[in-house]
Amino acid sequence: MALKGLHPFISFGLAILVWEAAIRCLAIPAYKFPGPLAVAEAMKELALSGRLLASVVASLFRVTWGFYLAACAAIPLGLVLGIYGSARAFLNPIVQFLRPISPLAWIPVALMWLGIGDRSAIFLIFLSSFFPLLVFTMSAVLGIKVTYIRVGLNFGVTGLKRYTKILLPAIMPDIITGLRITLGTAWLVIVAAEMIAVKSGLGYLIIDGRNSMRMDYVVAAMIVIGIIGLVLDWTVSRLEMLPSVRWIHKRR
Amino acid sequence: MKKIEVKGLSKSYNERRKKRRSPGDCRYGHGCLVLKDLDFQIEEGSFTCFIGPSGCGKSTLFRIMAGFETPTTGEVLIDGIPVLGPSTRHIFVFQEDGLFPWLTAMENVAIGAKHISDPLEREGEIRDFLDMVGLKGFEDHYPHELSGGMRRRAEVARALIANPEILLMDEPFGALDFITRLQMREEMVNVHQMFDSTILFITHDIDEALQLGDRIIMLSGRPSSIKADISLPFPHPRDLTVGEIASLRKEIYFHIGIHAAL
C-alpha cells in the first residue's frame, strides 16, 4: 500500500486538528492550555533563543551518564546473580525489595547526599535503570535453554569461550529488550529529577514554564520529550535487527 | 567388540511437584524411579534403535550415557571406562533445535571442528560436511532462515565433523514432516555406512527403527526396563512389506498391542 508509511503522519495530523478544534469549540484560554499554533510559536521562540537545544543537551547528558553507569554496573552483576545460585540466594531478596521503590522516593536522599545538581539527577537515572536491567540480565541468564548449555559442554566449549560463545549471545536479545525498556523508564524519570534536583534540562523547562505561567513552553517541552523518547526507542530497536539477535523474534 | 556397557543402571528423580505427574510410584516427597536395573551392551559400530512409549525414560537414559546426568545407581562404561561427563567422543543430537541460533550454519558446524588445528583445512572440512548434508549455498544462513530439515542436517553435520565414537540421537527427526523424515532416514543409512560411529537412536516410529537399526531395544513400563531386544541382520535398503522383516514388524506391533489395519 502506498499509504503504509504515511499512517503516523495522518494520525498525528488528525490529532493536531482535534486539538485545535477542541481549543476553539470549548473556548479554552491560552493560559490554561495553548493551541497547536501557540505551541509552535513557543517552540520557535525556545529554539531561536538556544534554550531548547541547551535543555535537550542537558537532559540527554544526564540520561546518558545515568543509563550508561547503570548498564555498566547492572549487566555484570546480573550475570553473576544469574550464574551463581548462592549469590542469587543472598542478593536477590535485597534487589527485589529495593526494586519497587520508585526512584522519585530517593529524591530527598539524593539531594541530601549529592546536593542540587547533575550528580543527583544522574544518580536518580542510575537508580531507575539499575534494578530493571539487573533483573532483566539475571532472568535472561536463568532463561537460557538448557540445550544450548549441554551442546556447549558436549562440544567441549570451555573457559572464557563458554561466556563469549554461548552465554552472552544467548542472552543478548533479552539484554537489548531490557535496555530498550529501561531507556524508556530513564527518560520518564529525568523529567521528574530535573524538576527538583537541577536548574536546567527539559524537566526544568516544564517547571519553569509553569512558574512563569507559560503553558505554551510547558506543552512545547512535552512535545520535545515525546519526540526524543521516540528517537531513543527507535535507536535501540535497531539493535534488535542485528542478524545474530533477530532469532528470538522468529522463535516466538 | 563391546563399545558401551550399561550396568545395573537406575535413575530416580526427586518429585518436587505437589501434583503427581503420572500414576505409579511417584509420590510427593519420594524419589520417582524412572529407570530400574538396566543392563545391556552395545557393539562397536552398530546402529541401535530405542523405542518405547513417551515418558518411559529413553531420553533420560541417553542423557546419562552422554554424561549430562548422573545415574542414581549403576554405571555406563565406554571402552570399559565409566562416563563421568560430556565429551566430544560421544555427541548428542537433540530432539529440539540444538543449533545455536545466533551462529550461521557454517559457524555452528565449526563448533564441532575445533580439533582441526589448521584454519584452512578446517574451513575446507566444514564446507565439505555442509556440502555432504546438502547445505551448499546455505553456509551463511542463520538457523531461523533454514527449514526444519536443513536445521537437522546442519546439526548432524556438526555432530559428524567432531568425529565422535558414539552418536546419541534423541528423536532427531520427530518434528519433521513425513517426506523429509523419509529423506533423513535414507541419509542416516548412508551416514552409518560412511562413518564408523556407533549410533544410538531414539524414535517413536517403529518403521523408522526397522529401516535404520541393526538392533531394536524396546523399553517400557515405569520404572522402565527392557521389554524386547531384537536383532535386525538385514541388508539395506529394506522393504518392510515382505519377508522376515515384515513378520517381525507385525510381531512388534502385536507386542505393543496394536493389531488391526497395519
Side-chain angles (χ1 to χ4, degrees), chain A residues 147 150 154-156 165 169, chain B residues 63 87 90 92 96 102 114:
Chain A
T147 307
R150 285 184 171 154
N154 205 170
F155 284 97
K165 289 261 182 194
Chain B
R63 285 197 297 270
S87 150
H90 34 95
F92 200 103
E96 69 273 45
W102 51 87
K114 285 185 303 168

Side-chain angles (χ1 to χ4, degrees), chain A residues 14-15 25 33 38 40 47 55 58 61 67 72 78 108 114-115 124 141 147 153 158 198 203 221 246:
Chain A
L14 280 174
C25 294
F33 203 88
S55 301
F61 167 79
F67 186 68
C72 288
L114 302 168
L124 293 171
V141 174
T147 307
L153 289 169
T158 50
V198 285
R246 214 167 36 197

Side-chain angles (χ1 to χ4, degrees), chain A residues 36-75:
Chain A
L37 285 173
V39 170
E41 190 64 35
M43 212 172 301
K44 192 177 144 199
E45 225 173 89
L46 286 169
L48 287 177
S49 70
R51 202 174 158 195
L52 188 65
L53 185 67
S55 301
V56 168
V57 169
S59 292
L60 281 175
F61 167 79
R62 292 176 192 125
V63 165
T64 308
W65 266 109
F67 186 68
Y68 180 73
L69 290 174
C72 288
I75 293 175

Side-chain angles (χ1 to χ4, degrees), chain A residues 145-158 161 165-167 169-170 243-247 250-251, chain B residues 63 68-69 86-88 90-92 94 96-103 111-112 114 142 144-145 158-159 162:
Chain A
K145 260 174 56 172
V146 68
T147 307
Y148 300 149
I149 310 224
R150 285 184 171 154
V151 170
L153 289 169
N154 205 170
F155 284 97
V157 182
T158 50
K161 284 208 165 148
K165 289 261 182 194
I166 297 172
L167 186 90
S244 57
V245 165
R246 214 167 36 197
W247 53 272
K250 299 282 174 171
R251 206 179 58 192
Chain B
R63 285 197 297 270
F68 296 141
E69 289 181 22
S87 150
T88 42
H90 34 95
I91 293 288
F92 200 103
F94 287 86
E96 69 273 45
D97 280 335
L99 293 174
F100 293 132
W102 51 87
L103 298 180
I111 296 274
K114 285 185 303 168
Y142 285 87
H144 67 78
E145 297 165 333
R158 182 177 69 180

